[in-house]
């Protein structure tokens, strides 16, 4: 297709902004430095109540918003909850679901796979941590005239954005926990989000408690030789 016909249809290009080019040695150094930084990320379940500035959360959500997405539709919405009453409602609803889950709904295999993590239906961190970031995936779009439009690769797009959010929060110096009560439709009502958005997960963020622990099991990561092949 000719450039002229593409541009008639709305395509326009700009020169690549922020071009970067490091030497090989510097690239290795940067990659390894970032690996070392990310090796200090641990999922944490014990948080301090200490407040965290809203701007930290805003900047991290802006980072998540830089993620690639299907047709650049950016099919995500982040609800940052700092209000203690809202956090309490989320905790109560989540624990109600978790009690049913741990009482048997999960099934034997799932419960036995969770044993090394030591988790149960009690989720005090949903109230203790200063921020809960509820991530919603936009299943389809609704424009100003209520016209419905498609989104693409929604799970992939929101997953990448959530990964970038976790990474940004970690680099800012915060501990996080990915939390997925099952089912979690109750989050639409509490967060006031529309029907076309599906709760994806809750990201709990704050400072780790002084006596926070992590399950030994969670620290065993597969080596490079197991997770990658080079052809
Ligand atoms: N949602 C439950 C159960 C749970 C499931 C998985 I998979 C985990 O990796 C951890 C927990 C809970 O939060 O306890």
């Amino acid at each position: 297709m000719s450039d002229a016909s593409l541009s008639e249809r709305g395509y326009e290009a700009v020169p690549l902004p922020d071009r970067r080019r490091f030497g090989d040695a510097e690239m290795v150094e940067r990659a390894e430095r970032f690996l070392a930084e990310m090796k200090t990320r641990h999922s944490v379940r014990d948080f301090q109540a200490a407040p965290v500035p809203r701007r930290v959360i805003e900047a991290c959500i802006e980072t998540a918003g830089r993620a690639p997405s299907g047709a650049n539709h950016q099919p995500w919405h982040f609800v940052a909850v700092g209000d203690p009453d809202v956090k309490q409602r989320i905790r109560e609803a989540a624990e109600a679901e978790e009690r049913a889950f741990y009482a048997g709904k999960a099934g034997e295999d799932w419960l036995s796979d969770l044993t090394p993590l030591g988790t149960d239906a009690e989720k005090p961190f949903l109230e203790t941590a200063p921020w809960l970031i509820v991530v919603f995936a936009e299943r389809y779009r609704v424009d100003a005239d209520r016209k419905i439009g498609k989104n693409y690769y929604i799970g992939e797009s929101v997953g990448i954005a959530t990964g970038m959010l976790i990474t940004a929060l970690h680099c800012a110096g915060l501990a996080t926990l990915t939390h997925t009560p099952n089912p979690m439709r109750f989050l639409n009502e509490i967060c006031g989000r529309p029907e076309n958005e599906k709760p994806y997960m809750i990201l709990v963020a704050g400072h780790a408690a002084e006596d926070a622990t992590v399950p030994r099991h969670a620290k065993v990561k597969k080596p490079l030789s197991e997770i990658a092949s080079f052809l």
Side-chain angles (χ1 to χ4, degrees):
M1 204 176 307
S2 74
D3 282 2
S5 128
L6 267 177
S7 68
E8 270 161 33
R9 297 169 59 191
Y11 174 74
E12 220 184 299
V14 295
L16 173 66
D18 313 311
R19 168 180 283 283
R20 303 203 295 181
R21 182 73 158 94
F22 302 113
D24 288 358
E26 191 178 355
M27 278 198 295
V28 169
E29 199 197 301
R30 291 174 65 94
E32 288 182 344
R33 202 181 317 134
F34 193 65
L35 169 61
E37 168 83 4
M38 292 312 293
K39 278 185 175 171
T40 68
R41 188 209 64 82
H42 313 284
S43 291
V44 159
R45 291 179 178 76
D46 312 300
F47 288 85
Q48 289 178 20
V52 165
R54 173 176 163 150
R55 182 59 199 145
V56 174
I57 304 303
E58 286 176 349
C60 292
I61 293 174
E62 285 191 76
T63 299
R66 308 305 299 197
S69 63
N72 193 32
H73 281 195
Q74 304 161 59
W76 42 64
H77 186 88
F78 303 91
V79 178
V81 180
D83 183 317
D85 294 335
V86 183
K87 286 194 288 180
Q88 189 191 348
R89 287 182 64 201
I90 292 177
R91 177 183 179 180
E92 280 167 9
E95 286 184 339
E97 298 295 359
E98 297 292 8
R99 278 193 288 273
F101 177 91
Y102 283 97
K105 224 177 100 188
E108 249 174 67
D109 287 354
W110 197 346
L111 289 179
S112 105
D113 281 341
L114 291 181
T115 310
L117 293 178
T119 53
D120 59 26
E122 295 295 309
K123 305 296 174 194
F125 51 76
L126 291 174
E127 279 190 89
T128 326
W131 293 102
L132 306 179
I133 305 173
V134 187
V135 184
F136 287 87
E138 197 184 62
R139 296 186 296 130
Y140 55 90
R141 312 208 279 179
V142 185
D143 72 14
D145 322 321
R146 302 242 197 104
K147 228 185 97 217
I148 284 173
K150 271 187 77 165
N151 282 335
Y152 308 92
Y153 298 104
I154 300 164
E156 292 84 345
S157 304
V158 181
I160 295 167
T162 304
M164 288 173 58
L165 179 55
I166 294 170
T167 305
L169 289 162
H170 175 67
C171 290
L174 293 176
T176 57
L177 178 69
T178 51
H179 179 53
T180 48
N182 181 2
M184 51 182 160
R185 264 289 172 186
F186 66 86
L187 288 166
N188 282 73
E189 206 228 306
I190 298 179
C191 298
R193 298 310 300 168
E195 193 274 336
N196 64 315
E197 291 181 10
K198 189 177 174 203
Y200 185 79
M201 71 167 56
I202 303 175
L203 208 55
V204 185
H207 293 290
E210 297 289 347
D211 60 354
T213 60
V214 293
R216 193 183 301 284
H217 170 78
K219 293 336 313 155
V220 184
K221 298 297 187 194
K222 293 179 183 175
L224 179 64
S225 58
E226 226 177 289
I227 65 169
S229 315
F230 288 76
L231 301 179

